[in-house]
């Protein structure tokens, strides 16, 4: 191994070993001047730094790359901004459930009717919820069933899961009488209805589904009476002295939350960390001067905010050729663009270098919104015009390198400063590595 970059590149990747003879780096030939420039660059890189370990990643952000360091698996990036809960079903014997209802009934009745217990936004949109119908309050024979469920849209079709709770028998002798019911066991002061099983509604996997919602409705005893299936937005949620939690629903739309009261178990509640902005800084060699390896010919940041919006910030243009930056589905070219120079927008000059002598990390030459950037895949490309010996320009395509390839582009965290002109990247200090957290710029 000619040189292992312990001082420099290893400071980027901490302990990446560039094992000699890992790849066959023999000389190549090409007739296309653009391809010839790549071959010359590759030969110069290997001569200076030695052969490259095939596992070597060029994403040094510490997060969300194809691989973080040699031998490490790439972590998975999840842009999940929704709070969800993971439920666990703890079956309870009927005899135990009876004792629970007997012990809790008076307090449940008092709380659900109390004006001091305000309805709250239904908190379990994305969850696995275990429900056991406990009580209901209403007029016998007015409704046959209460319905509670959830649904989402997939391939333009609606998928449902639901809980159907029998309220009473049709043509009851207690028609229009104010009655409390208990489900599955007799509780003094209530009418008993036989419904003693759990119902599990699992919407945890719907986090990324379309039009996910919970709904309720009351099915009238009179088949000719109309009813409305409503999106469930509010509920009454409270805990009684026993420590058990109950959830109360308004099923018929009259803002009376005593229609259906369930004992609810949502255990192991999980709240993902609040989403933050993440970003990467891409530093590129444009092949204009082979052998300096300062990686400042094109420097740009790509940032994704918590709302999913993405922006590219062009930080430095150290090359003297026209370039085009492609990020996801969006492109930007130096030629014909206005850039910020000393606070003024000016036309970018193709053969002029910007923000490399000395580098200024606060300076943004240009910024533009992008779509389709995948930070796990580093789907960014730079197109560079390379002049051949015939005086003609040829387009060279620089993509983010695969593991073990000779790099013409590297990814670092967004607070890492690039090199000044002709200072090779191995001269960077060890502090070059840190966490890839991007602070959202203040307006």
């Amino acid at each position: 191994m000619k040189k292992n970059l312990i001082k420099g590149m290893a400071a980027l990747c901490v302990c990446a070993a560039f094992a000699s003879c890992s790849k066959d780096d023999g000389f190549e030939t090409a007739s296309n001047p653009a391809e010839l420039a790549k071959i010359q660059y590759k030969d110069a890189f290997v001569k200076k730094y030695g052969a490259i370990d095939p596992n070597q990643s060029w994403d040094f952000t510490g997060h969300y790359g194809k691989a973080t360091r040699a031998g490490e698996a790439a972590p998975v990036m999840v842009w999940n901004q929704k709070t969800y809960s993971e439920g666990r079903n703890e079956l309870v014997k009927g005899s135990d459930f009876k004792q629970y209802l007997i012990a809790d009934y008076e307090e449940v009745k008092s709380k659900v009717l109390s004006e001091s217990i305000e309805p709250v936004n239904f908190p379990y949109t994305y969850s696995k919820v275990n429900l056991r119908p406990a009580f209901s309050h209403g007029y016998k024979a007015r409704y046959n069933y209460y319905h509670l469920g959830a649904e989402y849209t997939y391939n333009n079709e609606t998928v449902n899961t639901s809980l159907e709770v029998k309220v009473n028998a049709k043509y009851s002798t207690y028609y229009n009488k104010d009655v409390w019911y208990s489900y599955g066991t007799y509780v003094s002061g209530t009418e008993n209805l036989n419904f003693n099983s759990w119902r599990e509604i699992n919407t945890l996997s719907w986090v990324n589904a379309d039009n996910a919602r919970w709904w309720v409705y009351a099915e009238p005893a009179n088949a000719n009476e109309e009813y409305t299936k409503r999106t469930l937005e509010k509920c009454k949620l409270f805990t009684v002295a026993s420590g058990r939690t109950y959830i109360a629903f308004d099923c018929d739309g009259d803002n009376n939350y005593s229609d259906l009261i369930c004992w609810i178990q949502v255990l192991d509640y999980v709240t993902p960390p609040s989403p933050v902005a993440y970003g990467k800084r891409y530093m590129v060699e444009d092949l204009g001067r082979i052998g300096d390896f300062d990686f400042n010919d094109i420097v740009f940041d790509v940032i994704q905010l918590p709302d999913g919006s993405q922006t590219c910030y062009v930080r430095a243009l150290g090359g003297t050729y026209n370039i085009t930056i492609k990020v996801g589905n969006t492109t930007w070219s130096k030629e014909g663009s206005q850039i910020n120079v000393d606070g003024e927008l000016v036309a970018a000059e193709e053969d002029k270098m910007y923000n490399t002598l000395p580098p200024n990390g606060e300076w943004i030459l240009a910024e533009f919104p992008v779509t389709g950037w995948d930070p796990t895949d580093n789907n960014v490309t730079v197109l560079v015009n390379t002049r051949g010996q015939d005086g003609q320009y040829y387009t060279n395509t620089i993509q983010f390198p695969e593991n073990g390839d000779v790099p013409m582009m590297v990814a670092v965290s967004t607070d890492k400063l690039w090199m000044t002109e002709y200072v090779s990247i191995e001269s960077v200090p060890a502090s070059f590595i840190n966490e890839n957290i991007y602070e959202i710029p203040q307006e």
Side-chain angles (χ1 to χ4, degrees), residues 194-211:
N194 184 22
F195 196 97
N196 57 7
S197 64
W198 287 93
R199 287 296 184 271
E200 178 182 274
I201 299 182
N202 184 359
T203 59
L204 185 61
S205 61
W206 301 5
V207 171
N208 297 314
D210 295 326
N211 304 317

Side-chain angles (χ1 to χ4, degrees), residues 79-98:
W79 295 100
N80 177 10
Q81 302 174 43
K82 297 169 181 174
T83 300
Y84 63 92
S85 58
E86 176 70 63
R88 184 174 66 246
N89 190 350
E90 293 185 350
L91 296 177
V92 176
K93 296 178 181 179
S95 57
D96 292 334
F97 184 57
K98 176 180 179 179

Side-chain angles (χ1 to χ4, degrees), residues 5-270:
L5 308 192
I6 290 299
K7 181 180 178 182
M9 282 291 191
L12 288 176
C13 56
V14 180
C15 60
F18 284 35
S20 61
C21 304
S22 297
K23 290 178 71 89
D24 181 7
D25 292 306
F27 290 96
E28 302 174 52
T29 60
S31 57
N32 185 313
E35 290 303 312
L36 180 60
K38 278 188 175 181
I39 293 169
Q40 291 172 341
Y41 176 94
K42 177 179 178 180
D43 291 340
F45 191 94
V46 173
K47 285 176 181 177
K48 183 169 185 176
Y49 298 124
I52 302 169
D53 189 302
N55 294 316
Q56 175 62 48
S57 168
W58 301 107
D59 187 330
F60 301 118
T61 62
H63 294 270
Y64 315 122
K66 292 180 180 178
T68 335
R69 303 183 182 103
E72 288 189 0
V76 177
M77 173 174 269
V78 178
W79 295 100
N80 177 10
Q81 302 174 43
K82 297 169 181 174
T83 300
Y84 63 92
S85 58
E86 176 70 63
R88 184 174 66 246
N89 190 350
E90 293 185 350
L91 296 177
V92 176
K93 296 178 181 179
S95 57
D96 292 334
F97 184 57
K98 176 180 179 179
Q99 296 306 313
Y100 293 167
L101 296 193
I102 291 173
D104 296 343
Y105 169 59
E106 291 297 337
E107 189 177 358
V108 168
K109 179 179 177 180
S110 173
K111 285 195 170 186
V112 79
L113 295 179
S114 172
E115 294 184 359
S116 65
I117 305 294
E118 295 285 344
V120 297
N121 291 328
F122 182 68
Y124 301 115
T125 305
Y126 302 96
S127 58
K128 181 158 63 172
V129 177
N130 296 306
L131 298 167
R132 188 162 189 171
F135 304 104
S136 63
H137 172 224
Y139 297 95
K140 271 196 170 183
R142 183 177 178 186
Y143 299 109
N144 277 340
Y145 295 95
Y146 289 137
H147 294 258
L148 169 69
E151 67 184 24
Y152 68 99
T153 303
Y154 181 74
N155 286 340
N156 295 320
E157 294 185 3
T158 300
V159 180
N160 272 295
T161 179
S162 64
L163 166 66
E164 182 183 86
V165 183
K166 184 178 180 180
V167 179
N168 52 21
K170 203 171 182 180
Y171 309 122
S172 167
T173 56
Y174 289 97
Y175 184 69
N176 282 342
K177 183 176 180 180
D178 186 6
V179 176
W180 280 85
Y181 311 98
S182 58
Y183 288 100
T185 186
Y186 175 72
V187 175
S188 179
T190 70
E191 294 288 329
N192 183 35
L193 291 173
N194 184 22
F195 196 97
N196 57 7
S197 64
W198 287 93
R199 287 296 184 271
E200 178 182 274
I201 299 182
N202 184 359
T203 59
L204 185 61
S205 61
W206 301 5
V207 171
N208 297 314
D210 295 326
N211 304 317
R213 68 163 186 159
W214 284 64
W215 48 259
V216 288
Y217 70 87
E219 181 183 315
N222 184 346
N224 295 321
E225 186 177 347
E226 295 184 356
Y227 61 91
T228 301
K229 185 176 180 179
R230 299 176 297 107
T231 297
L232 177 58
E233 295 179 349
K234 298 283 187 178
C235 65
K236 281 194 174 185
L237 187 64
F238 52 87
T239 301
V240 296
S242 64
R244 287 179 283 275
T245 298
Y246 290 86
I247 187 167
F249 302 101
D250 167 25
C251 297
D252 57 12
D254 64 358
N255 294 317
N256 183 333
Y257 287 84
S258 63
D259 292 339
L260 175 62
I261 306 161
C262 295
W263 178 29
I264 182 172
Q265 283 194 308
V266 183
L267 307 175
D268 302 331
Y269 193 77
V270 177

